[in-house]
Amino acid sequence: MARKEKILHSTLLVTMVIILSKAVGFARDMVTTAYFGLTYANDAYVSAYSLFYLPVLLFNSCISATLIPLYVEEREQHSLAHSNRFASNAINLFALAALAVSAVMYALAGPLVRLVYSGFDPEKAALTARLTQIMLLALVFNVTSISVASLLNAMERYIAAQLTGFPLSVCVILASVLFSGSFGIEAVAWGVFAANILQLLVLIPFMRGWFRYSPMLDFRDRRFHRLMVLALPAMFSMGISELNHMIDHALASGLAEGTLTAMTSSYRLITFLQGILIVPLTTIMFSKMSKHVAGHDERGALRMLLDSLLQLSVVVLPVVVIGVILSKDVIKFAYMRGRFTLEDVQITAGLLIFYLVGIPAFGMRDFLSRMFHALKDTKTPFRVSCVVVATNIVLNIILRQLMGANGLALATSIAGYVGTAAMIALLRKRFGRIGFRRVLRELVKILAATAVCALACIGMNAVVPEVVGTGKVFLRLAVCAGASLIVYALCCVALRVKPLMGLLKSLRRR
């Protein structure tokens, strides 16, 4: 029980920091959409950021999925000094790789933009390439901060590792407010550049006292070779959601002006929800599961996974149904100001609905991938990711013709469920009986409570008049969503849903 309470306490603290970080990020998105709206310039910026974020995503998937379990293993089997030498070499080699990637992408930025965003006119493509080059200048700092954050997570210093979101938000907001009038959208790209440097500077003080950096560069390190063998499949599997989103962007480049910005604006809300609902739990549980596996307790890691999936369902399912029903109000509150119009709200809200339905699948797939990575099996998630991407591309081609941009969002969500189902089947194949019958009973209770929550939200949405204006929209959201969540919580208590009952007991004990 003490272990579960410690995990709960850590999760709550990390969640609070992430919520604050995401709130500042939310303000950043509000500012950029208010200054640029669904415009030509903003389309170029979000497209450039997607290109810049592709290597960031791949490095992040590679490092976070493999460095943590291997560092934990080195520390448990040898010593802290031994594991720190391994980590120093890994940091240096990753930084060198990032420098090489950034140089190649900088030189080929123009052709890359024309390849990925074939629907852009020459002027828009040139602006996108220029913005991409500006951001690429700081890639090596970003990758190094990812390595450092992974080590902090491995040492269970989760809060410090979550601080990197603040510099990005602050720099982009300042760039938009202070310099966009003189330098236009390029000011925002330079804000991203500055943020990547600050992210590393923020993390370095937290390494003091336990990490001793070694300026070494050993290409023959067998531990790093093992890391890369595990990392290459993980690069693809862990970043599958973002890769699918980028594919959506590429296929949407020929649609109406502003479509890319609308897709990015809606997807940012999805990543916001994932950040506060899913990331805290996955961050903590991955380190815990890696410890179980290092101690040869794979069944313990499996039990932890199943408990985490239930906790995820309790939190995510009501938020999804409320978000779908109140999608227009969510977009109004988030973005409707400045150059963002009511017509833009309609477009973005439709995209939000189709992305929202995939959140449970995205979350479960991330948990399941982490389980395989804790077992040092990165090939299985990689194979599943190949199936997911293929499914997404096929569905994109079909649904884009039928539904436009909404079809691209729906294809991503459906592909997410395909990946989750495949992961569950492969996990069952590996372990045999994994205890899903116990989980299924609790999941049925959660789904029943979610259905009642949806009915309550539909009723509140019909009764409370529609409004315009940030304050009024926020009040409407608070009333409708608040009442629906109260109904959901009461249903969960009446049905004695275990994850919620366990949380209430822990809070009473405190």
Side-chain angles (χ1 to χ4, degrees):
M1 184 60 70
R3 179 179 63 83
K4 287 187 177 181
E5 288 189 2
K6 185 178 179 181
I7 292 173
L8 174 63
H9 180 67
S10 299
T11 304
L12 290 175
L13 287 176
V14 173
T15 301
M16 289 172 63
V17 175
I18 289 179
I19 288 174
L20 182 58
S21 174
K22 293 296 182 181
V24 178
F26 193 51
R28 174 195 72 215
D29 294 340
M30 287 180 172
V31 170
T32 53
T33 51
Y35 271 80
F36 298 102
L38 302 190
T39 62
Y40 165 97
N42 213 356
D43 272 358
Y45 166 70
V46 299
S47 302
Y49 190 84
S50 292
L51 271 182
F52 162 72
Y53 195 69
L54 179 60
V56 172
L57 169 70
L58 295 176
F59 274 107
N60 184 46
S61 302
C62 165
I63 296 168
S64 62
T66 56
L67 184 57
I68 291 176
L70 290 179
Y71 182 83
V72 169
E73 182 180 84
E74 288 289 319
R75 191 184 68 211
E76 295 289 326
Q77 296 182 2
H78 299 285
S79 66
L80 183 62
H82 192 272
S83 59
N84 283 344
R85 285 194 296 273
F86 158 65
S88 295
N89 190 47
I91 289 173
N92 297 334
L93 290 172
F94 281 128
L96 184 63
L99 188 62
V101 169
S102 61
V104 171
M105 288 188 67
Y106 188 97
L108 299 176
L112 278 173
V113 170
R114 290 192 293 273
L115 175 66
V116 177
Y117 304 109
S118 57
F120 282 4
D121 61 57
E123 187 178 354
K124 193 172 184 177
L127 177 59
T128 304
R130 173 60 182 157
L131 298 176
T132 304
Q133 288 175 323
I134 293 171
M135 290 183 257
L136 282 169
L137 295 173
L139 180 63
V140 65
F141 295 97
N142 189 299
V143 170
T144 304
S145 68
I146 291 169
S147 300
V148 173
S150 295
L151 294 176
L152 287 166
N153 283 330
M155 291 296 292
E156 300 187 12
R157 302 191 178 196
Y158 306 112
I159 294 177
Q162 297 300 326
L163 297 177
T164 55
F166 292 101
L168 178 61
S169 299
V170 171
C171 288
V172 169
I173 288 172
L174 290 176
S176 299
V177 174
L178 299 179
F179 303 109
S180 63
S182 301
F183 301 99
I185 199 67
E186 283 196 20
V188 183
W190 283 111
V192 174
F193 165 81
N196 279 273
I197 298 174
L198 286 176
Q199 284 173 341
L200 179 59
L201 296 179
V202 165
L203 293 178
I204 288 175
F206 295 97
M207 307 292 283
R208 292 174 183 167
W210 63 273
F211 183 78
R212 185 172 181 177
Y213 173 75
S214 301
M216 58 188 296
L217 204 64
D218 184 2
F219 290 94
R220 295 175 296 178
D221 187 342
R222 292 181 180 180
R223 296 165 300 182
F224 188 77
H225 293 171
R226 184 185 177 201
L227 185 151
M228 290 308 299
V229 169
L230 295 171
L232 290 175
M235 288 173 67
F236 190 62
S237 60
M238 285 301 295
I240 188 64
S241 293
E242 293 290 344
L243 285 173
N244 277 336
H245 182 55
M246 189 169 182
I247 292 169
D248 296 349
H249 261 216
L251 290 172
S253 62
L255 297 177
E257 183 177 306
T259 299
L260 287 172
T261 302
M263 291 180 69
T264 300
S265 298
S266 59
Y267 194 73
R268 280 173 181 165
L269 291 173
I270 300 301
T271 57
F272 173 80
L273 289 175
Q274 288 179 305
I276 62 175
L277 300 178
I278 299 171
V279 170
L281 195 56
T282 55
T283 299
I284 293 169
M285 299 312 290
F286 184 37
S287 296
K288 302 291 184 184
M289 287 189 293
S290 296
K291 279 190 174 182
H292 276 287
V293 173
H296 306 289
D297 182 17
E298 293 186 355
R299 283 285 169 180
L302 183 59
R303 286 192 298 272
M304 192 169 285
L305 169 69
L306 295 176
D307 289 341
S308 299
L309 290 177
L310 273 182
Q311 294 172 32
L312 173 73
S313 300
V314 166
V315 175
V316 167
L317 292 179
V319 173
V320 168
V321 298
I322 290 172
V324 168
I325 294 165
L326 302 177
S327 58
K328 289 182 182 178
D329 287 311
V330 171
I331 298 300
K332 284 180 186 177
F333 174 71
Y335 302 121
M336 191 176 170
R337 57 190 58 82
R339 299 180 66 179
F340 202 94
T341 66
L342 191 58
E343 182 181 355
D344 298 336
V345 168
Q346 298 283 351
I347 296 170
T348 311
L351 287 162
L352 178 63
I353 289 172
F354 291 109
Y355 278 131
L356 273 171
V357 298
I359 283 187
F362 304 153
M364 287 188 286
R365 190 181 62 208
D366 285 348
F367 270 109
L368 292 162
S369 292
R370 295 287 189 182
M371 178 64 188
F372 282 106
H373 291 157
L375 295 166
K376 300 180 183 66
D377 175 6
T378 55
K379 291 182 179 179
T380 297
F382 170 73
R383 294 188 188 104
V384 173
S385 298
C386 292
V387 174
V388 170
V389 169
T391 303
N392 185 50
I393 292 173
V394 171
L395 290 175
N396 270 338
I397 294 171
I398 297 171
L399 296 177
R400 181 180 183 271
Q401 299 297 320
L402 300 174
M403 304 168 60
N406 288 346
L408 299 176
L410 179 59
T412 298
S413 294
I414 294 173
Y417 283 100
V418 170
T420 300
M423 286 273 196
I424 292 172
L426 291 169
L427 192 67
R428 188 168 184 176
K429 181 179 179 181
R430 176 168 185 146
F431 283 97
R433 298 181 64 180
I434 57 178
F436 263 116
R437 186 171 298 178
R438 174 178 60 85
V439 173
L440 186 61
R441 182 179 178 183
E442 293 301 314
L443 185 59
V444 170
K445 294 180 184 178
I446 296 168
L447 288 171
T450 302
V452 177
C453 173
L455 292 174
C457 192
I458 291 170
M460 293 298 297
N461 190 44
V463 171
V464 181
E466 290 192 21
V467 292
V468 176
T470 302
K472 292 178 180 178
V473 172
F474 174 77
L475 183 60
R476 188 178 193 274
L477 273 172
V479 170
C480 295
S484 304
L485 287 173
I486 289 172
V487 170
Y488 174 75
L490 292 174
C491 286
C492 286
V493 172
L495 294 170
R496 301 196 65 78
V497 174
K498 286 183 180 179
L500 185 62
M501 299 306 293
L503 175 61
L504 293 174
K505 287 180 182 179
S506 297
L507 292 175
R508 279 201 296 268
R509 207 175 277 119
R510 289 183 180 279

